[in-house]
Amino acid sequence: MANPLYDTLFGRHAGKTTAFLHLEGGVTLTHAGFLGRAARFAHVLTGLGLKPGDRLAVQIDKSADALALYAACVQAGVIFLPLNTAYTADEVRYFVTDSGAAAFVCQPARRNEMAPVAKAAGCQLETLGTENDGSFADRATSASDKFETVARGADDLAAFLYTSGTTGRSKGAMLTQANLLSNAQTLADLWRFTARDVLLHALPIFHTHGLFVATNVTLVAGGAMIFMPKLDIDRLIDRMPHATAMMGVPTFYTRLLDDARFTSETAANMRLFISGSAPLLAETHVDFETRTGHRILERYGMTETNMNTSNPYEGERRAGTVGLPLPDVELKITDPKTGAILPDGEIGSIEVRGPNVFKGYWQMPEKTAQELREDGFFITGDLGRRDADGYVTIVGRDKDLIISGGYNIYPKEVELLLDDQPGVLESAVIGVPHPDFGETVVALLVARKDAELDLDQITADMAASLAKFKQPRKLIVLPELPRNTMGKVQKNVLRDTYRDLFH
Ligand code: ATP
Ligand code: MG
C-alpha cells in the first residue's frame, strides 16, 4: 500500500546492504539493518496502541535508534514530534500536553522526572537510550523486522515540529508527507546528492536542519551519513577526510576556522559545505574560501516551510545572501502593512508559497490565519530584499525591526558596519524603549580574541557612516552573544536585559 514518504525515503532501500550510518566506534549500519530496526519499532508503536494520525512525542539523545524511531513513525503513519533535548520537564510538559501526544519517549535517565509530565498529559511513557537500552528498545527485541507499511496520502501529516522559540513561545508546525518529500527531492537535485555522498552529520535531529534537510536529502539520494552524537570539532576534523559534504549552522564554520588543524588538506575529499539556520557572516564565507578553496553554500528556511531559497550549486554563491528561491518555491517581497508586492531592491516581508509550506500551526487557528494567507503564501516573519538577478538577502526578522522616532532601522545594516570595525568579531543591534523616540538603537559587541575595542573610534565611525537616527546610542561589549541550540542570537533575551537602559 502506498505511503509516499516512507516509500521514497526508506522503502526503496529495502534489502540493500549499502552503508547508511557510520556511527561512533567504527560501527556501520546498512540501509537494510536500519530498516529492520525501524520495522521493529513500528511494531512497538502499534503494540502501544498508536494509530495513524496519533502523535508520538520524543525527547531522546541523537543515535541510530532515534532516527529509526522517525522512520518507524512514518511507516506506521504516526505523527513524529521530536523535542529539543535541552528542554526541562516544565518545558516538555507544554509540548506533550499541547500536542495531545498519545505516547512520549524520553531518555532512560529522565524517566522519573518525566513521569508526572506524561501523567499530566494523559499519555504513555516509554524510554529509549542510545545503547539499545530503555523500555522501548526492550519491547523491540521480540518484534519482527518486517512491518506492513501503513497507507498514507501525500496530504497526511507526517510530523509536528515545534519552532525554535527564538521570537516567543514555540509553535507546532504541522507538516505533511508532501511538504517533507517535495523539499527533500528538490534539495537533493539542486545540491547534486547521490548514493556516493557521505554527509558529515553533527547537527541535532530534533530540528528541521538535521532531521529533514540533512537526513531526508541523504535518504532520497541513497547516500550515507557519518552520524555524530553532537558537534565535536576534534571528531569533525578527524572524520572529514571520509566525507563528501557537510551541513552546519554558522558556528560550525567559525569553530572550524578557529582551529589551526583545519586546512585545505582536511577538506580535500569534500565537494560541498552548506550553511543555514542563522546568518553566515560574509567574512566567514570569505575566510573559509581562503582557507579551503570552498565557497560555503548558504540556504534559508524554517520549521514551517523546510527550505525556501538556496545559493546555486553551479553559479555564483554570493556571500551575505541566501541565494535564489528553490525551483518549486514562489517568493515575494511585500509591504508589511498592505501586503502589496514591492519592487526589486526594496526591503519588505518575505512571503513564500510552494509544496513545502506547512498546513498551519497546531491548535492556533488565529495565528495560522495571520501568517498563512488564503492564497497559500506564508508570511515568514523575516524581512529581506531581492536583487534584480533574483538573489535574496535577509535583513532580519520583522520582530527585530527598530522604529525610532517613526523611522525604520534594520539592525542588519548597522551590524554589518559594526562587524567591519577593527577588533569586532560580531555584533547584535537591538531596539530598546526610549522616552523620546519610542525606541532607540543599542549595539552589543563581541571582540576578537585578544583584541581591545576602541569604542570612541567605533562611535565616531558610526557617526560618519549612518544617519543620526540609526546610530547606536550605546555600545556594550559582551564576552559572547546569547544563542540558542541552533546558533541563533536570542535578541529577545538581549532586549529584556537592556529594556531599562534609558528609563
Ligand atoms: P520562532 O519562530 O519560534 O521564533 P525560529 O524562527 O528561530 O523560532 P526556526 O524555524 O528554527 O525557528 O528558524 C527559522 C528562522 O531562522 C528563519 O525565519 C530565519 O529568521 C532564520 N534563518 C534560517 N536560515 C537563515 C539564513 N541562512 N540566514 C538568516 N537567517 C536564517
Ligand atoms: Mg520562526
Side-chain angles (χ1 to χ4, degrees):
M1 263 187 272
N3 177 325
L5 189 62
Y6 183 82
D7 299 344
T8 313
L9 294 187
F10 305 106
R12 69 190 168 108
H13 302 304
K16 282 192 203 160
T17 53
T18 40
F20 174 44
L21 296 178
H22 300 292
L23 304 165
E24 301 292 280
V27 178
T28 292
L29 191 59
T30 63
H31 283 99
F34 176 80
L35 293 186
R37 189 69 173 157
R40 288 177 199 273
F41 283 1
H43 282 293
V44 177
L45 292 174
T46 50
L48 289 170
L50 271 80
K51 305 260 176 316
D54 282 348
R55 273 79 64 200
L56 180 77
V58 171
Q59 190 197 32
I60 51 177
D61 290 316
K62 182 178 173 184
S63 70
D65 270 358
L67 209 56
L69 192 48
Y70 160 51
C73 284
V74 178
Q75 193 170 19
V78 169
I79 300 175
F80 185 62
L81 193 169
L83 295 169
N84 192 327
T85 41
Y87 289 149
T88 64
D90 271 351
E91 287 166 322
V92 168
R93 185 188 301 263
Y94 161 73
F95 295 107
V96 176
T97 312
D98 179 69
S99 64
F104 171 35
V105 182
C106 75
Q107 295 150 315
R110 293 181 80 186
R111 182 169 195 123
N112 289 344
E113 188 194 347
M114 293 302 177
V117 173
K119 190 149 188 274
C123 71
Q124 310 177 60
L125 183 65
E126 295 288 331
T127 62
L128 182 61
T130 59
E131 307 287 336
N132 191 18
D133 55 326
S135 59
F136 196 92
D138 292 346
R139 289 176 187 271
T141 21
S142 54
S144 156
D145 61 2
K146 299 269 180 308
F147 180 87
E148 178 88 18
T149 303
V150 171
R152 294 266 90 185
D155 217 31
D156 283 325
L157 294 178
F160 276 14
L161 214 56
Y162 280 80
T163 60
S164 296
T166 312
T167 58
R169 179 153 248 189
S170 297
K171 302 144 278 181
M174 299 189 282
L175 296 160
T176 65
Q177 288 220 338
N179 292 153
L180 303 182
L181 200 49
S182 65
N183 214 238
Q185 284 168 326
T186 299
L187 296 175
D189 256 19
L190 194 75
W191 296 337
R192 310 275 199 273
F193 271 79
T194 71
R196 289 183 303 282
D197 273 305
V198 180
L199 182 79
L200 210 44
H201 193 305
L203 290 161
I205 54 168
F206 50 72
H207 184 266
T208 188
H209 195 167
L211 183 62
F212 298 142
V213 190
T215 304
N216 289 356
V217 164
T218 304
L219 281 163
V220 158
M225 300 194 276
I226 298 177
F227 210 57
M228 303 183 177
K230 59 177 187 346
L231 176 62
D232 171 339
I233 289 294
D234 293 346
R235 300 284 297 145
L236 210 59
I237 292 175
D238 180 56
R239 304 308 296 158
M240 196 176 286
H242 306 281
T244 61
M246 184 178 93
M247 296 185 194
V249 298
T251 328
F252 281 34
Y253 294 101
T254 49
R255 298 227 357 231
L256 281 172
L257 286 169
D258 268 349
D259 199 308
R261 293 171 303 170
F262 177 65
T263 62
S264 63
E265 192 70 12
T266 326
N269 194 46
M270 296 287 285
R271 68 168 184 90
L272 183 59
F273 289 94
I274 299 177
S275 176
S277 289
L280 183 80
L281 293 179
E283 185 188 285
T284 311
H285 187 101
V286 172
D287 289 352
F288 199 84
E289 186 176 13
T290 310
R291 179 86 64 94
T292 64
H294 283 279
R295 291 178 75 86
I296 299 171
L297 184 155
E298 184 171 6
R299 95 294 178 284
Y300 158 67
M302 62 199 64
T303 308
E304 296 91 333
T305 64
N306 291 2
M307 299 306 102
N308 294 308
T309 74
S310 169
N311 271 280
Y313 187 79
E314 275 147 20
E316 190 194 354
R317 298 182 193 166
R318 202 174 288 171
T321 81
V322 292
L324 310 155
L326 300 180
D328 53 356
V329 174
E330 292 170 78
L331 182 147
K332 58 183 187 179
I333 308 287
T334 59
D335 183 322
K337 289 201 189 75
T338 64
I341 294 184
L342 294 174
D344 288 341
E346 279 189 31
I347 293 173
S349 293
I350 300 178
E351 298 191 26
V352 292
R353 178 165 73 181
N356 57 323
V357 173
F358 74 141
K359 277 277 158 195
Y361 295 114
W362 170 249
Q363 284 184 335
M364 290 178 137
E366 277 167 31
K367 187 147 189 73
T368 303
Q370 275 165 17
E371 299 183 6
L372 197 53
R373 294 186 191 279
E374 268 174 22
D375 64 3
F377 270 98
F378 174 58
I379 307 169
T380 61
D382 290 311
L383 298 173
R385 62 162 199 277
R386 177 161 41 187
D387 292 344
D389 56 2
Y391 282 75
V392 176
T393 302
I394 298 183
V395 302
R397 298 175 183 256
D398 59 4
K399 288 195 172 150
D400 294 334
L401 178 75
I402 305 167
I403 305 178
S404 186
Y407 293 107
N408 284 355
I409 300 154
Y410 301 104
K412 184 85 173 202
E413 182 187 356
V414 186
E415 286 162 2
L416 286 174
L417 286 170
L418 289 168
D419 292 345
D420 275 349
Q421 293 290 317
V424 173
L425 177 67
E426 56 178 357
S427 62
V429 165
I430 54 167
V432 302
H434 187 279
D436 293 337
F437 305 111
E439 267 188 307
T440 195
V441 182
V442 169
L444 295 313
L445 301 171
V446 179
R448 289 180 185 286
K449 242 190 248 162
D450 305 324
E452 279 279 331
L453 298 185
D454 181 346
L455 297 186
D456 292 337
Q457 170 58 42
I458 295 177
T459 305
D461 226 77
M462 291 298 111
S465 315
L466 289 170
K468 182 109 180 129
F469 69 94
K470 295 182 193 169
Q471 294 166 20
R473 294 249 150 185
K474 198 158 177 64
L475 301 173
I476 298 169
V477 182
L478 294 179
E480 60 183 10
L481 298 175
R483 286 196 147 84
N484 64 19
T485 357
M486 294 310 295
K488 298 163 193 282
V489 176
Q490 293 168 299
K491 288 199 170 176
N492 52 349
V493 171
L494 292 171
R495 278 193 289 265
D496 266 2
T497 310
Y498 298 105
R499 69 197 315 158
D500 295 326
L501 218 49
F502 297 95
H503 277 279

